[in-house]
Amino acid sequence: SSFATIAGPAGYTFNPATGNAVTITFAQTSARYVRVNITANTGWTAAQLSELEVYGTAGGGGDTDTQAPTAPGNLTVAGKTATSVSLTWSASTDDKGVTGYQVRSGGAVVASSTGTSATVTGLTAGTAYSFTVTAQDAAGNTSPASNTVNVTTDAQANTNLARGKATSESSHTQNYGSGNAVDGDANSYWESANNAFPQWVQVDLGSAASIGRVVLKLPPQSAWQTRTQTLSVQGSTNGSSFATIAGSTGYSFNPATGNAVTITFAQTSARYVRLNFTANTGWSAAQLSEFEVYPA
């Protein structure tokens, strides 16, 4: 906010024949913000600058700080939302002292911090990103980059994570395979083998995601009478060990109200989401036309 003049007004010639560069030296001073005020340009009706470089000078004892900080360590994703990613890392060391850190993605600086954590905001939902962190010292030396972390932001709350994903099942009858439950068409459906409860159907979301709601549908045609299906919801991150997300309950599917059921539960992380069916009052098999999984 308060600026002092380091070098007074002067005309400087930029000549391509000599590198199109100008060097301005001045008495050593301490500054964080360095501003160039341009009042005229003989070559164009605007101020123009391709590089503004600021250098340290010899300090007391004649030593110039040319040693960069060590690379930040153990870069880790501490949390994420649909539009942000929070990162933490281990501190760098430097012979003169670290002044700050820069979070980079694709070579661009996307966040800065004077501590060992930062949150990158303004990201796109359901998108993969890669991040590194570098440290800086007072002389402008930059450390090597930290390890790289890869992270995908959460999907928007109303994004059906199961649509078109791979499925598996305990059984099916005729051509009513489990793929029908994630094709976006409520008129096609999965049906298990008859008279053989329990039965299950499962969707692989492709990667672990934070989920909080499933919506289950049966075909909306009037030919489908109201029925109650008893089922539980399970989740897994590896496809082999499953935890119960929502306990076994009877859910009424009524064509008069859309033949759909919504099950909400505490937010959890899962890649594989499985429905276990133990009864159906309307038919001797498990039935499902749409299996939708949502972040919240």
Side-chain angles (χ1 to χ4, degrees):
S1 58
S2 300
F3 285 82
T5 299
I6 296 174
Y12 298 94
T13 299
F14 293 80
N15 187 342
T18 55
N20 234 5
V22 165
T23 297
I24 305 171
T25 58
F26 40 82
Q28 187 167 2
T29 188
S30 176
R32 172 178 175 179
Y33 303 90
V34 181
R35 178 181 291 181
V36 177
N37 289 308
I38 301 175
T39 57
N41 183 351
T42 62
W44 195 253
T45 58
Q48 298 171 306
L49 199 64
S50 67
E51 289 297 310
L52 170 54
E53 301 176 354
V54 182
Y55 294 90
T57 61
D63 293 329
T64 299
D65 183 6
T66 59
Q67 181 174 324
T70 61
N74 194 33
L75 179 61
T76 304
V77 176
K80 60 175 181 168
T81 69
T83 58
S84 68
V85 172
S86 295
L87 303 168
T88 61
W89 56 88
S90 300
S92 299
T93 59
D94 183 71
D95 60 333
K96 299 294 178 65
V98 174
T99 58
Y101 298 88
Q102 293 180 332
V103 180
R104 300 170 184 265
S105 180
V109 177
V110 293
S112 298
S113 174
T114 56
T116 56
S117 64
T119 298
V120 184
T121 59
L123 304 178
T124 301
T127 302
Y129 291 91
S130 295
F131 297 103
T132 59
V133 174
T134 58
Q136 289 74 43
D137 64 17
N141 299 310
T142 298
S143 75
S146 68
N147 58 295
T148 300
V149 293
N150 300 304
V151 58
T152 299
T153 51
D154 293 339
Q156 293 288 7
N158 289 324
T159 299
N160 176 13
L161 303 177
R163 177 73 178 271
K165 298 297 176 62
T167 61
S168 54
E169 63 196 24
S170 55
S171 68
H172 72 268
T173 187
Q174 299 180 47
N175 62 337
Y176 302 119
S178 57
N180 291 340
V182 294
D183 62 2
D185 181 4
N187 294 298
S188 66
Y189 60 95
W190 164 72
E191 183 172 304
S192 72
N194 292 334
N195 300 303
F197 285 110
Q199 296 286 338
W200 57 265
V201 63
Q202 174 179 304
V203 61
D204 177 359
L205 303 180
S207 61
S210 180
I211 61 174
R213 172 170 57 109
V214 298
V215 176
L216 311 178
K217 298 178 181 178
L218 288 179
Q221 300 95 327
S222 58
W224 285 70
Q225 299 175 343
T226 298
R227 67 202 60 208
T228 296
Q229 297 197 81
T230 302
L231 60 96
S232 61
V233 184
Q234 292 185 317
S236 171
T237 56
N238 58 20
S240 58
S241 300
F242 283 81
T244 298
I245 296 173
S248 183
T249 304
Y251 297 95
S252 177
F253 293 80
N254 187 343
T257 55
N259 234 4
V261 165
T262 297
I263 305 172
T264 59
F265 40 82
Q267 206 80 15
T268 189
S269 178
R271 171 176 175 175
Y272 303 89
V273 185
R274 176 180 291 184
L275 304 175
N276 289 305
F277 292 79
T278 57
N280 182 352
T281 62
W283 195 254
S284 57
Q287 298 170 307
L288 194 65
S289 67
E290 285 301 304
F291 182 8
E292 300 175 355
V293 181
Y294 295 91

